[in-house]
Amino acid sequence: KKLLSEPAYNVGVFAVNLQRWAEQKVAERVENLVIQHNACGGNLWVGGSQPPLLLAFLVRKEGAPKDFMTFEKAWNTVDLGW
């Protein structure tokens, strides 16, 4: 239930600091999650690439700071005519 209360994002709309991505070994974290998912017959999640990317940022050691920033909604929709 705690995981469901965490913020989520759409992997089609997000910005990445590539240097930090490499330093934090995010690709390896995502790959390890996919390996675990495949090893159990694909029963950890449904939904392609979205779940492992979300989990790579949300699953962290107790007390560790969040490793993402949340932008205002307008950042994604400004000047689109809405």
Side-chain angles (χ1 to χ4, degrees):
K1 290 185 180 187
K2 181 182 176 199
L3 185 61
L4 294 176
S5 68
E6 293 286 342
Y9 62 92
N10 181 324
V11 297
V13 183
F14 77 114
V16 175
N17 175 330
L18 294 176
Q19 181 177 347
R20 184 144 175 83
W21 180 279
E23 290 170 355
Q24 298 297 312
K25 300 182 180 184
V26 176
E28 289 88 345
R29 292 180 353 216
V30 171
E31 289 169 358
N32 285 333
L33 287 163
V34 171
I35 288 167
Q36 291 175 33
H37 175 67
N38 292 340
C40 73
N43 292 318
L44 292 180
W45 63 74
V46 176
S49 61
Q50 181 85 26
L53 283 166
L54 287 170
L55 290 169
F57 289 103
L58 295 178
V59 175
R60 58 192 178 279
K61 293 180 182 179
E62 188 70 33
K66 293 180 180 176
D67 197 24
F68 60 88
M69 296 170 39
T70 304
F71 292 98
E72 295 293 325
K73 293 177 184 176
W75 189 82
N76 187 37
T77 60
V78 75
D79 297 328
L80 293 177
W82 293 315

